[in-house]
Amino acid sequence: PEHWAYESIGEVKVPAIKIEDWPRNEVDRFVLARLEQEGITPSPDASPHVVLRRLHLDLIGLPPTLSELDAFDTAWQEDREACLEATVDRLLASPHFGERWGRHWLDQARYADSDGYEKDNARPHAWVWRDWVIKAFNDDMPIDQFTIEQLAGDLLPDAKPEHRVATAFHRQTLWNREGGIDPEEDRTKRTIDRLATTARTWLGLSLECAQCHDHPYDPILQRDFYQVYAFFNNADEQSIQIPRLDGEKGKKQEAHVMKRNGNRTIDSLR
């Protein structure tokens, strides 16, 4: 049968519950239905200090200060909903928001400050792309723009330095610089890694099986694998000098980016 991941999402009936005034949304109704099934009473509302701590840790990854706790407690007593809305807006506007949530993207991109393998040479300018990611989260960059710039920023018409920096998503591969290696074999490994990481990150599935044969569980052919492989197989890895992304004038920083050969355009992604 077709894998469940490819089945259309159907309408789900919301369960009946006994405590009608407890849920605040339909998800709560599913939680409460199970609690009632198990004979468990829902926990009482959290205290203001607990609520603020949860908001802080969830949105910026840092605990609130004592002064923030006091201010939140006062505002909570006056108008709970207004207090919550103002606090969430404040935390979303914090530069720490991008640091907190950007780190999950860095994990998906296998971000590293060194090459790996036996030499494990340092990558002293890897942080330039890391800061690009943090800034993108803080700027609330739309996901389509976030995607295009990282996969093909160098192919955009009149690409700006920050568009090229975004392609460093593909520079996070392991790189073997040991003596005696076959450079072309290692380049091929990096190309395959870029393909696999792109598929896992954006499609949520693995293409590795199709490297050797048609995928047994997903509708992916070996031909599909190498068509996507070709998109990355004409790329060079290079370093460029760019103005500082933080706006500090008069200084430049080095960025390690991708550059495609040939006349391939951004339409190749669509």
Side-chain angles (χ1 to χ4, degrees):
E2 186 174 45
H3 193 278
W4 63 265
Y6 298 103
E7 295 179 358
S8 299
I9 299 177
E11 187 174 347
V12 178
K13 186 178 180 180
V14 178
I17 54 175
K18 299 175 183 177
I19 311 175
E20 288 286 350
D21 60 347
W22 186 80
R24 298 181 183 178
N25 53 55
E26 292 186 339
V27 174
D28 285 350
R29 297 182 70 92
F30 286 90
V31 174
L32 181 58
R34 183 55 185 268
L35 291 177
E36 291 179 342
Q37 178 183 328
E38 300 294 334
I40 301 174
T41 302
S43 299
D45 287 350
S47 67
H49 286 188
V50 172
V51 171
L52 183 61
R53 179 177 172 81
R54 289 174 179 172
L55 287 173
H56 267 252
L57 294 180
D58 188 40
L59 294 179
I60 66 173
L62 298 170
T65 64
L66 292 177
S67 60
E68 288 171 333
L69 285 169
D70 292 338
F72 184 84
D73 188 54
T74 301
W76 179 274
Q77 304 305 326
E78 295 175 355
D79 188 333
R80 180 178 300 192
E81 292 303 321
C83 174
L84 285 173
E85 184 173 351
T87 301
V88 170
D89 287 344
R90 173 176 64 81
L91 295 176
L92 290 176
S94 168
H96 298 306
F97 173 80
E99 297 167 357
R100 164 74 171 88
W101 286 96
R103 66 174 297 273
H104 297 295
W105 188 257
L106 298 180
D107 287 343
Q108 292 297 316
R110 69 269 191 251
Y111 172 77
D113 292 308
S114 59
D115 287 341
Y117 291 111
E118 180 264 339
K119 292 292 183 184
D120 199 25
N121 291 339
R123 296 175 176 175
H125 303 287
W127 61 271
V128 178
W129 178 74
R130 178 202 65 196
D131 283 9
W132 180 92
V133 171
I134 292 173
K135 185 176 186 300
F137 272 80
N138 282 330
D139 291 346
D140 200 19
M141 180 182 289
I143 185 62
D144 56 349
Q145 180 182 352
F146 189 69
T147 297
I148 289 174
E149 290 190 17
Q150 289 182 93
L151 291 184
D154 58 311
L155 301 180
L156 290 171
D158 302 319
K160 297 178 180 178
E162 55 266 31
H163 296 146
R164 300 186 188 279
V165 169
T167 65
F169 174 88
H170 301 300
R171 291 296 307 272
Q172 308 303 315
T173 57
L174 290 166
W175 192 330
N176 195 343
R177 300 178 190 267
E178 298 174 29
I181 67 164
D182 185 325
E184 175 59 17
E185 178 187 22
D186 191 54
R187 187 198 69 82
T188 299
K189 288 180 179 179
R190 296 199 301 275
T191 303
I192 292 173
D193 178 72
R194 288 174 186 125
L195 184 164
T197 302
T198 300
R200 284 196 304 269
T201 303
W202 270 279
L203 303 180
L205 54 82
S206 166
L207 291 188
E208 280 92 332
C209 286
Q211 181 179 344
C212 301
H213 50 73
D214 293 350
H215 205 296
Y217 304 112
D218 297 314
I220 301 168
L221 305 178
Q222 187 178 22
R223 179 182 180 85
D224 297 328
F225 180 94
Y226 286 100
Q227 284 181 324
V228 181
Y229 178 93
F231 179 76
F232 296 105
N233 196 37
N234 68 340
D236 291 329
E237 304 185 43
Q238 60 180 221
S239 299
I240 61 173
Q241 289 289 324
I242 64 167
R244 289 185 63 94
L245 295 180
D246 58 14
E248 187 174 341
K249 296 182 179 180
K251 292 186 178 181
K252 289 190 175 183
Q253 54 198 3
E254 190 172 89
H256 300 283
V257 301
M258 301 297 299
K259 186 178 187 302
R260 269 71 169 196
N261 299 319
N263 58 1
R264 194 181 299 272
T265 69
I266 189 63
D267 290 334
S268 306
L269 279 178
R270 295 173 177 167

